[in-house]
Amino acid sequence: MSPPSQVKRNTKQHKFIVAVTVVSFCATALTIFSFASDHWLEATAVLTERLQSHVNYGLFKGSIERQQLASTLKFPLTVVCDFDLNLCMYSCQQDLERRKVELKRVINGEDLDPCEQSKDYKRKKLSRNPQAKNFTKALALYKSPTRAPCMPSSIHLCCILFLSLQLTFSLMAFVCSGINLKWHPVERIFNIFGLFIWNAIAAGCCFWCLALWAAMFGSHLRYNIAVTDTLRQQLNFTSEGYASLGGAYYSVVVVMILHIINLALLFARQRYFMDGQPHNAVANNINIDDAEPRLEFY
């Protein structure tokens, strides 16, 4: 039968694992929210003082709300990318083909249809060999730090990949912590050692996702949020100085902090409970009573 001190120690260790499980669940839930959220970026696109649009979008989709006369118009946004040219934008067109056509127009320096015409779409002929003047203009805008028309597709894709990895390892941390509540697995990837690994990798993935999105915001999105309205040649809305990071971005910051808290809890458990366990003393000397008869072998 275990002594009372040992039972008390095991109970405290169990509470640490319970705390790690709860924190891992919260981190996983917040990551799923961030993936599905349309609030990685929030901005206002301004044409005139009376005609402004509120824009918000996430990693994949978003929306534009425009107050026009006495009504409010809302248009959905969907990301479209050209990985060969390393460009992405958020288009208000309704299907993939139209969004690709719209991105090609941006690259060719052509004007775009307003979002009000996205439902009544009429396909326009695109120049297969755009004039060098238009193409040079598009490249010049892309290289300009103050008028970057589109976001880099490579950075956008890396943000999605790192957040996907973070969700995977966060889920692994939650599952393994639940396993350690019930059992004591001997495999290192499933026991407490594995929890250190999953939480550390998840925190690292959060950091890189946040760093890349912040870098893209600082170099591109704060000048141009890369939506249909701000990429038009005529009646061009401006978003420079009106964009900010959204709530979903800061929720990933919270997720990273939660994983760091998990690492601190695991370290505290290892430091104060596992390393502090008393070890049974082992006798180093054997005393022999001379009064007892001995067996001698020749």
Side-chain angles (χ1 to χ4, degrees), residues 32-277:
I32 295 174
F33 164 77
S34 300
F35 249 118
S37 176
D38 294 340
H39 292 274
W40 278 76
L41 180 138
E42 297 179 356
T44 301
V46 179
L47 182 62
T48 64
E49 292 184 359
R50 295 186 178 182
L51 186 56
Q52 301 179 2
S53 300
H54 177 71
V55 182
N56 62 273
Y57 55 72
L59 296 175
F60 306 102
K61 294 185 178 182
S63 63
I64 296 177
E65 288 188 5
R66 182 178 302 146
Q67 189 70 32
Q68 191 166 339
L69 298 178
S71 61
T72 300
L73 304 178
K74 187 172 183 178
F75 308 99
L77 293 172
T78 306
V79 68
V80 57
C81 296
D82 187 326
F83 292 101
D84 293 332
L85 294 177
N86 192 30
L87 296 173
C88 281
M89 66 169 287
Y90 284 81
S91 171
C92 58
Q93 298 299 329
Q94 299 299 307
D95 57 62
L96 179 60
E97 181 183 358
R98 297 176 183 179
R99 291 191 290 270
K100 288 182 177 180
V101 170
E102 190 166 69
L103 181 58
K104 288 181 180 179
R105 290 179 182 170
V106 173
I107 296 171
N108 296 343
E110 301 176 7
D111 196 18
L112 306 179
D113 294 328
C115 292
E116 286 81 356
Q117 298 180 11
S118 60
K119 295 182 179 179
D120 301 326
Y121 175 79
K122 295 181 180 179
R123 186 168 184 174
K124 296 181 180 179
K125 293 183 179 180
L126 286 173
S127 175
R128 294 186 178 180
N129 297 313
Q131 296 180 0
K133 180 179 179 181
N134 288 339
F135 189 72
T136 304
K137 180 180 178 181
L139 289 179
L141 286 176
Y142 176 72
K143 294 179 180 179
S144 173
T146 58
R147 286 295 306 276
C150 296
M151 65 177 70
S153 60
S154 56
I155 298 181
H156 184 265
L157 179 61
C158 286
C159 289
I160 296 174
L161 290 178
F162 276 116
L163 194 63
S164 301
L165 288 173
Q166 187 275 322
L167 177 59
T168 301
F169 289 111
S170 182
L171 187 60
M172 284 293 297
F174 172 64
V175 172
C176 290
S177 58
I179 291 174
N180 281 269
L181 282 177
K182 183 68 176 178
W183 300 283
H184 300 283
V186 295
E187 294 84 358
R188 295 178 69 86
I189 62 172
F190 295 117
N191 59 21
I192 302 300
F193 179 78
L195 291 178
F196 275 104
I197 295 177
W198 308 137
N199 282 282
I201 296 177
C205 291
C206 282
F207 171 79
W208 284 111
C209 177
L210 293 169
L212 289 172
W213 187 267
M216 183 168 62
F217 176 82
S219 61
H220 292 80
L221 299 181
R222 71 189 181 103
Y223 302 112
N224 192 321
I225 57 176
V227 298
T228 301
D229 285 348
T230 61
L231 295 176
R232 293 168 59 188
Q233 299 295 323
Q234 300 177 359
L235 298 177
N236 175 261
F237 286 72
T238 179
S239 62
E240 185 172 353
Y242 299 105
S244 62
L245 297 171
Y249 177 86
Y250 294 106
S251 68
V252 180
V253 176
V254 175
V255 171
M256 184 175 66
I257 294 174
L258 290 176
H259 285 295
I260 294 174
I261 291 174
N262 265 351
L263 291 172
L265 289 172
L266 292 169
F267 179 79
R269 176 188 179 275
Q270 186 74 19
R271 177 68 176 84
Y272 295 106
F273 292 102
M274 302 303 295
D275 294 346
Q277 287 185 356

